[in-house]
């Protein structure tokens, strides 16, 4: 004789419930840590490109207007030169309203207080900028070489700015 249970089981057992919660928690932790690294890298990439855009737009504005202008690189991003007889590249600043480093991105550079652009679009100053972001070990760099101000973006490693084909 076979006994048949007339009551059907409804719901989950305690063991099934605990295993399910553990799996969902593990997936949430993996998703959160991977997502924060990606977000930090995206902030860093955007800040690096905005830094380069400021230089390129300042150069284009000086050439278009046929007069020299200048920009100042502050920890927050591009700003008009504070104490300079050189007029600021106003159109460039208007298009770069979003800051480069908003707290999550750290900017260190050796550019002069005023980055000068000649009336024919040449950059009269050079330097290196290094950007890092909390949440990632990646560091980006921008090198501007003289005499014509060619910029190069790369990965900062071991005290040097190395070319990066992913840029």
């Amino acid at each position: 004789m076979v006994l048949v249970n007339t009551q059907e089981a409804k719901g989950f057992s305690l063991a099934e419930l605990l295993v399910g919660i553990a799996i969902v928690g593990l997936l949430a932790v993996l998703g959160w840590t991977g997502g924060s690294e990606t977000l930090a890298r995206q902030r860093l990439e955007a800040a690096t490109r905005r830094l380069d855009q400021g230089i390129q737009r300042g150069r284009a504005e000086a050439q278009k207007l046929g007069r020299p202008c200048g920009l100042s690189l502050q920890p927050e991003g591009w700003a008009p030169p504070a104490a300079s007889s050189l007029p600021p590249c106003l159109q460039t600043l208007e298009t770069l309203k979003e800051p480069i480093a908003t707290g999550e991105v750290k900017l260190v550079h050796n550019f002069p207080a005023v980055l000068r652009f000649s009336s024919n679009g040449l950059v009269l100053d050079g330097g290196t900028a290094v950007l890092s972001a909390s949440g990632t070990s990646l560091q980006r760099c921008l090198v501007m070489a003289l005499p014509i101000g060619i910029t190069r973006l790369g990965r900062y490693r071991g005290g040097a700015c190395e070319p990066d084909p992913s840029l």
Side-chain angles (χ1 to χ4, degrees):
M1 181 166 162
V2 177
L3 292 174
V4 176
N5 187 1
T6 57
Q7 292 181 335
E8 293 183 23
K10 296 182 180 177
F12 299 103
S13 70
L14 181 59
E16 292 170 332
L17 189 60
L18 290 175
V19 168
I21 290 173
I23 290 173
V24 169
L26 180 64
L27 290 174
V29 166
L30 290 175
W32 179 258
T33 56
S36 64
E37 166 89 14
T38 302
L39 187 59
R41 282 179 176 256
Q42 287 176 345
R43 276 194 301 266
L44 184 60
E45 299 292 341
T48 305
R49 295 204 187 284
R50 292 191 69 70
L51 182 63
D52 188 44
Q53 281 179 351
I55 294 170
Q56 302 310 325
R57 289 179 178 172
R59 174 185 290 155
E61 181 178 341
Q63 190 173 19
K64 180 181 174 185
L65 297 176
R67 65 169 176 81
C69 65
L71 291 172
S72 178
L73 185 55
Q74 303 298 322
E76 305 80 34
W78 293 112
S84 173
S85 60
L86 195 62
C89 303
L90 290 175
Q91 292 174 351
T92 300
L93 292 171
E94 184 64 28
T95 58
L96 292 173
K97 284 186 177 179
E98 219 175 283
I100 291 172
T102 59
E104 294 96 7
V105 177
K106 182 180 175 190
L107 171 67
V108 178
H109 67 87
N110 64 358
F111 287 110
V114 178
L115 191 61
R116 302 169 297 156
F117 301 94
S118 71
S119 59
N120 59 356
L122 296 178
V123 182
L124 303 176
D125 306 291
T128 301
V130 178
L131 296 99
S132 57
S134 56
T136 181
S137 61
L138 177 67
Q139 290 184 310
R140 289 288 183 206
C141 53
L142 178 140
V143 176
M144 187 164 44
L146 294 176
I148 57 175
I150 295 173
T151 58
R152 178 180 55 128
L153 302 177
R155 178 185 293 249
Y156 190 76
R157 250 192 295 210
C161 189
E162 301 173 355
D164 190 347
S166 69
L167 289 172

